[in-house]
Amino acid sequence: MRSRQRMFAAVMRLLLKCLRLGRRRRFRLVRQVEQLWHYGHLCLRSLLYNSFTNGDVVLDSLFEPVYWLVDHVTRWFGVVFVALVIGLTSSIVAIVYICLLPLILQTYTPAWICWHLTYGHWNLIMIVFHYYMAITTSPGHPPQAKNDLTGVSICRKCIAPKPARTHHCSICNRCVLKMDHHCPWLNNCVGHYNHRYFFSFCLFMTMGCIYCSISGWEMFRDAYAAIEKMKLLEKERLQVAANQTYYQTPPPTFSFRQRAFHKSVVYLWVLCSSVALALGALTLWHAALITRGETSIERHINRKERQRLQKKGKVFRNPYSYGSWDNWKVFLGVDVPRHWLTRVLLPSPHLPHGTGLSWDLPPCVTEQHAPLLAI
């Protein structure tokens, strides 16, 4: 207790001395504080200064905790997202087989029945095949040995050789060849060996959703009107029961099967239309990237490089672009005309051109486009 009193008395005496200081001493004290502040600020800047630091680097540093959280959430919930895709797709297929297919067989003409059966099953096979291949195929990873690779950089995170177009995935914690992005709906990275499977899945899933939305529009309108009628009749039935007028005939009730049928049709149309809009926009975005011979990551890199060279009066050209048509042929693996049928319109597990370690001119390219500058 006495020690606390002594400490308090000492603090009070020091405070009184500071208050009794003259104007010169107070000015000298303020000047010393300013000098200490400037010295500390100079030390901090000398430790943290970097000539390459800009607004993007500072923003990335501030958002680093958010990136860490997203990476870990995506890593752990990847299986949940895959199960969600399989569950939603299976529910749509079950509704089509149980509810819509018997109605199609009873009301449509033989020509329309053949069209729906042929196109629907072909589209379903293409969706299932490409999604299975996209989630099970490794995107490709560079070898750890440095002997087989020439002219490559070193990844700062995994301290391993990093060939051209290779980027480090913070979720998989590995470098990925020709990395496009990490897709949580696949629980896998989209890279050199499964990029075609990913895009084909998006394309055929969008086509299937558009097909279901257009084909089921009339059924959706009838089902929605029937559900509204159900609600109205249910309200009238409750009013009759509340009034207890036995001489009135209660409105007819709908069976569980009828309710389930109409609600299933509405669910199918709403889900397919929503997926068609969202996935269709993503598919168009990736189609534009493929046309330019870029990945999602290279899109940002090339844009910054193009802006930098434009200020110097120079022109940037993507060294991995062979022209719009040849870019699609390289991406889809079309070497001869029959491959448009066997490799594009039918399920095909063929490998892409090259190994992802070096980027030589593919044999399907008709004319070599020499880049002005390489990234």
Side-chain angles (χ1 to χ4, degrees):
M1 193 69 181
R2 291 182 179 178
S3 61
R4 292 183 179 178
Q5 292 178 354
R6 291 176 181 176
M7 185 179 297
F8 180 74
V11 172
M12 293 301 297
R13 285 195 299 268
L14 180 61
L15 181 61
L16 290 173
K17 287 182 179 180
C18 292
L19 294 176
R20 292 173 183 173
L21 288 175
R23 184 176 296 180
R24 290 184 177 179
R25 291 186 178 181
R26 265 185 283 176
F27 179 75
R28 191 177 302 169
L29 181 62
V30 171
R31 192 171 182 180
Q32 289 178 357
V33 171
E34 290 181 353
Q35 290 178 353
L36 289 175
W37 168 258
H38 290 302
Y39 178 74
H41 184 66
L42 181 62
C43 290
L44 186 64
R45 290 195 61 182
S46 63
L47 292 174
L48 301 179
Y49 177 77
N50 189 341
S51 59
F52 296 99
T53 302
N54 52 23
D56 295 336
V57 175
V58 174
L59 193 62
D60 290 341
S61 301
L62 293 176
F63 276 90
E64 191 65 28
V66 179
Y67 297 151
W68 181 88
L69 181 62
V70 171
D71 290 345
H72 283 71
V73 169
T74 306
R75 183 182 305 171
W76 290 108
F77 279 87
V79 179
V80 178
F81 291 150
V82 171
L84 187 62
V85 171
I86 296 175
L88 293 177
T89 307
S90 301
S91 66
I92 296 298
V93 174
I95 291 173
V96 170
Y97 274 102
I98 297 174
C99 300
L100 302 186
L101 186 59
L103 189 61
I104 291 174
L105 296 176
Q106 294 174 6
T107 58
Y108 284 28
T109 60
W112 277 109
I113 292 175
C114 292
W115 156 253
H116 284 293
L117 291 178
T118 303
Y119 179 81
H121 286 90
W122 169 78
N123 203 344
L124 178 61
I125 291 173
M126 298 298 285
I127 290 173
V128 173
F129 170 79
H130 287 103
Y131 187 69
Y132 174 78
M133 295 299 293
I135 62 178
T136 57
T137 303
S138 173
H141 306 284
Q144 298 297 319
K146 300 181 181 180
N147 298 330
D148 300 333
L149 301 176
T150 58
V152 298
S153 59
I154 301 297
C155 178
R156 295 179 298 175
K157 296 184 178 180
C158 56
I159 316 300
K162 183 180 177 182
R165 311 188 80 178
T166 299
H167 299 280
H168 186 88
C169 177
S170 57
I171 299 175
C172 300
N173 200 22
R174 295 187 66 181
C175 283
V176 177
L177 299 175
K178 193 193 170 185
M179 179 180 175
D180 188 89
H181 69 287
H182 184 95
C183 182
W185 301 103
L186 301 180
N187 194 26
N188 195 8
C189 268
V190 177
H192 179 63
Y193 289 103
N194 63 349
H195 193 183
R196 179 178 65 88
Y197 296 132
F198 165 77
F199 177 79
S200 298
F201 163 72
C202 293
L203 177 63
F204 289 112
M205 178 64 82
T206 302
M207 292 171 57
C209 290
I210 293 175
Y211 162 73
C212 291
S213 298
I214 295 176
S215 301
W217 169 245
E218 295 295 334
M219 297 180 185
F220 165 74
R221 292 178 58 185
D222 296 339
Y224 186 80
I227 291 176
E228 293 297 324
K229 186 177 180 180
M230 289 180 193
K231 293 180 181 179
L232 182 61
L233 293 177
E234 184 68 20
K235 185 177 180 180
E236 293 179 358
R237 189 179 66 82
L238 293 176
Q239 290 177 353
V240 170
N243 295 331
Q244 295 181 356
T245 54
Y246 295 101
Y247 60 86
Q248 293 182 357
T249 303
T253 59
F254 290 89
S255 64
F256 173 79
R257 184 175 181 179
Q258 290 174 325
R259 294 175 182 272
F261 174 82
H262 295 305
K263 291 182 179 180
S264 298
V265 172
V266 173
Y267 163 79
L268 178 144
W269 192 88
V270 172
L271 180 61
C272 288
S273 300
S274 303
V275 173
L277 290 175
L279 195 60
L282 179 65
T283 305
L284 291 176
W285 164 251
H286 280 279
L289 294 177
I290 295 169
T291 304
R292 293 192 294 261
E294 297 175 333
T295 61
S296 299
I297 298 176
E298 292 173 351
R299 168 65 175 167
H300 302 287
I301 298 175
N302 293 349
R303 184 184 60 182
K304 291 183 179 179
E305 188 68 12
R306 188 177 294 107
Q307 293 174 354
R308 185 183 69 85
L309 294 177
Q310 188 176 5
K311 294 179 181 179
K312 298 181 178 181
K314 299 180 180 180
V315 179
F316 171 80
R317 183 178 294 170
N318 183 11
Y320 308 114
S321 177
Y322 310 104
S324 301
W325 183 247
D326 287 336
N327 287 337
W328 278 102
K329 291 170 63 177
V330 172
F331 178 79
L332 297 174
V334 177
D335 298 329
V336 294
R338 70 171 183 272
H339 286 167
W340 290 105
L341 174 64
T342 59
R343 293 187 173 185
V344 179
L345 298 180
L346 293 177
S348 176
H350 66 277
L351 297 176
H353 289 292
T355 60
L357 303 177
S358 60
W359 299 97
D360 300 327
L361 188 67
C364 60
V365 176
T366 56
E367 180 182 357
Q368 183 175 3
H369 297 267
L372 297 180
L373 292 170
I375 59 174

